Amino acid sequence: MAIYHLSVSNVSRASGSKATATLSYISGRRVHDERRGETYDYGRKERVLRVGTLLPEGAPAEYADPAVLFNAVELHETGRTARPAKKIVVALPREFTPRQRVQALEEYIRENLNADGYAATYAIHDDGRGNNPHAHILVANRQIDPATGGWARLKQRMEYVLDERGERVPLIDPETGRQKTDKRGRRQWKRTSVSLNPLDRKAKLKALRESWANTCNARLDETARIDHRSLEDQGSDLEPTIHEGYAARAIERAGGVSERCQTNREIRRSNSLLTAVRAELGRIFDRLGELFAAKIGRLRRRQARPEPAEPNWRYFEGDARRQLEADKADHTAAIRGKLMDARADVGNREEWWRSHGTEEHKAAKQIIDVARAASREARDANIFKRGRLLRNAEQVAGEQSERLRGAVPWLEDADIPADWDQANRFRMRTTKAIYDHDMQPRTRLVAELERRLEQAERAESERPSPEQVKALALRMAEQRAQAENPTQDTKRPAPSGDEPLDLSEPEDWGEASPFESRQAPRTKADLLNEIRQRTDRLTGQREAEQRQIDPWSAQPPQRRGHGR
């Protein structure tokens, strides 16, 4: 999961830091400091994946070499407490590809540093095993003047020093212990020099943090977005983790347990538990709200209209169960009959192929035979004529290939070979392809009917559910009541949306429900008579199925003449 990290620090001479030494560390290269005459080489090159330098408008071309750039910065800054550079460290999302890492870094540097006149060098690191991807950005702490190509002059101003209450701090005379005054008797206050460098402003640092989050989120999926704000600013009461550092991770890799890493593991565990509890509570409250709203809706509809009395469906329960079983059997028998017809159609088509073929097949054979005749003539020719006849065979094969594409446009391989043996094999492949193309709709129908028959037989072996039996029994009872009293309005009220689903019509039957066409109730005698008729019809279908001739066992017609 992507995490957010961005830190900014100064390369300050007061603390012993040097821009050239920092450059050697982040780039893994040997860098010579021209101001001090020292050479730095921190090694660890295996951690450095890529190094690049981006310059603002008007910068000298030689500054593309980072050693030249930061030596120039060091030579220009002469103060003992000068800060020649700043270092920005950002965490690179694991979801980024190597190309996306470079694109995000360079876009971020151009928009936030180069646009303000700053030159910068970046270096992409990991831990040597592909983990902890991050980048160091070393920024020259002085802008480049686009007009001259030289370093711009840093502007400063004097400001009063303020105390905790925001009031000016007086300038105290150490001898008298009183506030100093000037010659005119005006009191003196403490003042300090403030740099007007944009990189030293708090607003600029906040903009840098927010811009890095926006740059990454533009390339991340919505589920992996990062946020530059702290948990407190986000309004979250989750506990933030602490910075682990390289030393703590080295202890963990060596098999030890780092106190800082262990603390972070406990924090993540408690945060994960808190998040899971909140999510579960949210789901519970959402479900309670849905149930409460549904209950209120049912109560309101019940108050608006009285519920009709349910017909006595128990009297028709047995009839409904037998009717459902009979309908399933009829549905299975209908599919079985369609399957028999489809198989017979496949057999008849195969018999037709053995004796006649198709128009496409005949046309393809005639076209291929013309090319075969030319290739056979070239094969049987003597050595003096063979070259000319081979060229003729290739020309004829190309012409016939064009005709074959016109005759059989769906054929994928329509290039007739000019060689005799290859042309014969091509003729056999083409015949097989045309046969498969012609038989495919019929064989696909057989496979689909076999699948539907298997589903129907599985459904027939299962007993009707109580819901199905009750639904059909209710319908029978309503039809009986309507037939006995046709003047009475037995229409059921409009559905409210809260009724249970009618499961009496299984979805996998694939056909209209057998109950839709019923208009009059049936007695037990009618049902028994219909069951007897269906039994006789199924018995006749099974006998016809047994008498059906298997088309694959039929012998092909005997042809007279040679085998070809």
Side-chain angles (χ1 to χ4, degrees):
M1 178 180 178
I3 60 173
Y4 179 87
H5 173 78
L6 186 145
S7 60
V8 182
S9 58
N10 286 305
V11 179
S12 176
R13 288 179 186 168
S15 60
S17 302
K18 292 171 284 294
T20 50
T22 305
L23 175 63
S24 174
Y25 173 78
I26 69 170
S27 64
R29 301 174 182 175
R30 183 188 298 271
V31 178
H32 179 72
D33 190 331
E34 298 177 1
R35 186 178 69 88
R36 298 176 59 90
E38 298 176 354
T39 301
Y40 305 103
D41 187 4
Y42 290 95
R44 302 175 71 181
K45 299 178 177 58
E46 69 279 358
R47 300 182 58 198
V48 182
L49 304 179
R50 183 185 177 93
V51 178
T53 301
L54 299 178
L55 302 177
E57 182 181 358
E62 59 268 18
Y63 284 178
D65 184 352
V68 175
L69 171 63
F70 289 99
N71 266 304
V73 175
E74 287 283 355
L75 291 172
H76 187 80
E77 302 291 346
T78 58
R80 291 181 301 172
T81 60
R83 295 181 296 179
K86 289 187 182 294
K87 184 172 68 173
I88 304 175
V89 182
V90 295
L92 295 170
R94 292 172 177 261
E95 291 80 359
F96 278 1
T97 63
R99 181 180 180 85
Q100 287 177 325
R101 295 173 183 173
V102 176
Q103 290 177 346
L105 269 176
E106 293 188 350
E107 177 183 333
Y108 176 74
I109 293 172
R110 289 192 184 97
E111 293 181 355
N112 297 276
L113 299 174
N114 293 159
D116 293 337
Y118 293 100
T121 295
Y122 69 86
I124 301 177
H125 289 190
D126 63 8
D127 62 352
R129 292 184 295 274
N131 299 319
N132 188 27
H134 60 280
H136 298 262
I137 305 174
L138 188 61
V139 187
N141 205 18
R142 188 180 288 267
Q143 295 163 305
I144 295 178
D145 189 351
T148 62
W151 298 106
R153 184 175 179 274
L154 289 179
K155 297 180 181 180
Q156 296 182 345
R157 70 181 178 187
M158 301 300 293
E159 292 183 354
Y160 289 109
V161 178
L162 304 178
D163 59 11
E164 298 176 353
R165 294 175 296 180
E167 297 179 355
R168 292 179 293 179
V169 177
L171 186 61
I172 305 299
D173 188 348
E175 296 180 357
T176 62
R178 297 179 180 180
Q179 185 177 4
K180 288 184 178 182
T181 58
D182 59 7
K183 296 179 180 180
R184 297 181 180 180
R186 293 176 298 187
R187 289 180 294 178
Q188 300 294 303
W189 307 91
K190 282 187 178 181
R191 302 174 71 184
T192 183
S193 176
V194 178
S195 172
L196 297 183
N197 185 4
L199 286 180
D200 292 331
R201 298 177 185 173
K202 183 179 292 186
K204 179 63 175 179
L205 296 179
K206 289 184 177 180
L208 287 175
R209 291 180 57 82
E210 182 177 0
S211 178
W212 176 244
N214 295 336
T215 302
C216 293
N217 289 335
R219 294 168 172 81
L220 288 173
D221 187 65
E222 293 184 358
T223 59
R225 298 291 172 84
I226 59 178
D227 198 325
H228 67 285
R229 299 173 297 171
S230 64
L231 292 176
E232 182 179 0
D233 294 338
Q234 296 177 34
S236 173
D237 55 358
L238 296 177
E239 184 179 359
T241 56
I242 63 175
H243 180 66
E244 296 177 354
Y246 177 79
R249 296 193 184 99
I251 294 174
E252 295 279 332
R253 286 197 298 269
V257 178
S258 168
E259 182 179 353
R260 302 183 72 85
C261 293
Q262 181 64 24
T263 301
N264 277 344
R265 281 193 287 268
E266 293 176 358
I267 292 174
R268 294 189 187 97
R269 190 181 302 112
S270 62
N271 287 343
S272 177
L273 179 60
L274 180 60
T275 303
V277 170
R278 286 178 175 172
E280 187 63 27
L281 287 175
R283 286 193 291 270
I284 291 174
F285 283 119
D286 291 342
R287 182 56 181 162
L288 288 176
E290 294 174 0
L291 294 176
F292 184 74
K295 183 67 175 178
I296 294 297
R298 286 194 295 270
L299 289 176
R300 288 177 178 174
R301 286 188 293 271
R302 190 175 302 163
Q303 293 173 0
R305 54 176 176 79
E307 294 184 358
E310 187 178 69
N312 184 15
W313 59 273
R314 290 288 183 182
Y315 180 79
F316 297 90
E317 184 176 3
D319 297 341
R321 182 176 291 106
R322 287 187 291 270
Q323 186 65 49
L324 286 170
E325 294 175 352
D327 290 338
K328 289 182 180 180
D330 286 350
H331 180 71
T332 305
I335 296 179
R336 188 179 289 111
K338 293 179 181 179
L339 179 59
M340 292 172 55
D341 295 341
R343 286 174 176 171
D345 183 47
V346 170
N348 295 334
R349 192 62 179 179
E350 290 176 348
E351 184 67 26
W352 174 267
W353 259 92
R354 295 190 187 101
S355 57
H356 298 84
T358 62
E359 296 297 329
E360 286 185 341
H361 181 222
K362 294 177 181 179
K365 283 200 307 182
Q366 294 176 359
I367 293 171
I368 297 173
D369 287 344
V370 173
R372 288 174 65 241
S375 61
R376 181 174 58 187
E377 185 179 1
R379 184 199 61 177
D380 297 339
N382 56 36
I383 191 173
F384 300 104
K385 299 181 179 180
R386 184 170 300 169
R388 178 176 58 81
L389 293 178
L390 282 175
R391 290 190 296 272
N392 179 65
E394 293 176 354
Q395 181 180 0
V396 173
E399 295 173 353
Q400 297 303 312
S401 298
E402 293 298 327
R403 292 186 57 197
L404 182 61
R405 292 188 185 94
V408 190
W410 51 264
L411 191 63
E412 295 182 358
D413 183 12
D415 295 328
I416 305 174
D419 181 74
W420 163 255
D421 295 330
Q422 295 180 5
N424 288 332
R425 289 192 291 269
F426 177 82
R427 186 173 183 270
M428 296 175 62
R429 290 197 306 270
T430 304
T431 300
K432 180 66 167 56
I434 296 175
Y435 172 81
D436 292 341
H437 183 269
D438 183 64
M439 296 295 295
Q440 186 178 10
R442 296 170 175 82
T443 55
R444 187 186 297 116
L445 177 60
V446 170
E448 176 65 20
L449 290 173
E450 289 175 348
R451 184 188 64 81
R452 292 177 56 188
L453 179 61
E454 182 181 357
Q455 293 179 350
E457 290 176 346
R458 191 184 307 114
E460 185 179 2
S461 63
E462 298 175 354
R463 291 179 59 85
S465 66
E467 292 80 5
Q468 292 175 323
V469 174
K470 181 179 178 180
L472 182 56
L474 280 172
R475 198 173 302 175
M476 289 181 173
E478 291 173 358
Q479 291 174 353
R480 171 61 65 85
Q482 186 177 6
E484 291 178 353
N485 190 4
T487 60
Q488 182 181 359
D489 186 9
T490 59
K491 289 185 179 180
R492 303 184 68 177
S496 61
D498 292 331
E499 294 83 5
L501 295 176
D502 184 4
L503 303 179
S504 61
E505 302 172 11
E507 297 178 358
D508 57 351
W509 284 9
E511 295 182 358
S513 170
F515 313 127
E516 293 180 354
S517 59
R518 296 185 186 139
Q519 299 295 334
R522 300 180 181 181
T523 62
K524 291 186 178 180
D526 296 335
L527 293 175
L528 290 175
N529 187 26
E530 185 174 348
I531 292 173
R532 189 179 298 108
Q533 293 177 0
R534 293 181 179 179
T535 303
D536 296 341
R537 185 166 61 253
L538 289 176
T539 303
Q541 289 179 352
R542 292 191 180 96
E543 292 177 355
E545 184 177 0
Q546 293 176 358
R547 292 194 302 269
Q548 178 70 27
I549 299 176
D550 186 3
W552 294 101
S553 61
Q555 296 295 329
Q558 300 294 330
R559 299 183 181 181
R560 298 182 179 180
H562 55 79
R564 288 190 175 180

